[in-house]
Amino acid sequence: METSILIAKIIGILYFSFGIGILFNKKYYSKAFENLLKDSTYLVLGGILAVIFGLLIVEFHNNWIENWTVIITIIGWAALLKGVFLLVFPTSLNVFKPLFKNGLFTKFSSLLIILFGVIFIYFGFF
């Protein structure tokens, strides 16, 4: 359970701060996401980091039990699969380019990220 709480704290603070950043800096992050999709270096680095962090979570927290900690396991597996997908099919993300130009998508995604952050902060700190 200590590992779950530590990971929840990390994910909570990361998601919450990232979501707030997107909410208050929509233009900056929209441009950053567009640049991310243009530059293969960032995609490869993102894939490598996703594999590393996903594998660390899966290795040290592969708990399939019926409580909130299973969400961490699912995030670990999703990160691992996303990282592998980015490394194997880096050009497939071009499908998402139009979404980043839509202000409604950016606002919705930032609120969803903030919500996840608040949930993980609650489980990690309270």
Side-chain angles (χ1 to χ4, degrees), residues 77-90:
W77 278 104
L80 179 60
L81 294 173
K82 177 184 111 176
V84 170
F85 188 79
L86 281 174
L87 294 174
V88 175
F89 305 109

Side-chain angles (χ1 to χ4, degrees), residues 25 31 63 81 87 111 118:
N25 301 294
K31 188 162 183 93
N63 299 334
L81 294 173
L87 294 174
L111 293 175
V118 168

Side-chain angles (χ1 to χ4, degrees), residues 47-68:
I48 291 170
L49 289 173
V51 167
I52 290 170
F53 289 114
L55 186 61
L56 283 171
I57 291 174
V58 167
E59 183 65 29
F60 293 104
H61 192 282
N62 200 15
N63 299 334
W64 294 98
I65 54 178
E66 293 183 23
N67 63 21
W68 68 271

Side-chain angles (χ1 to χ4, degrees), residues 11 17 23 26 29 36 45 57 68-69 78-79 103 105 115 126:
I11 291 174
S17 58
L23 188 63
K26 290 181 192 101
Y29 279 103
L36 174 77
L45 183 60
I57 291 174
W68 68 271
T69 61
F105 175 77
L115 177 64
F126 302 107

Side-chain angles (χ1 to χ4, degrees), residues 19-32:
I20 294 292
I22 293 172
L23 188 63
F24 290 117
N25 301 294
K26 290 181 192 101
K27 288 183 183 179
Y28 176 82
Y29 279 103
S30 291
K31 188 162 183 93

Side-chain angles (χ1 to χ4, degrees), residues 7-8 10 13 18 26 31 34 48 50 55 60 63 73 77 82 89-90 95 97 113 120 124:
I7 295 171
I10 293 168
I13 291 171
F18 186 54
K26 290 181 192 101
K31 188 162 183 93
E34 283 182 42
I48 291 170
L55 186 61
F60 293 104
N63 299 334
T73 302
W77 278 104
K82 177 184 111 176
F89 305 109
V95 178
K97 279 184 182 179
I113 293 168
F120 281 109

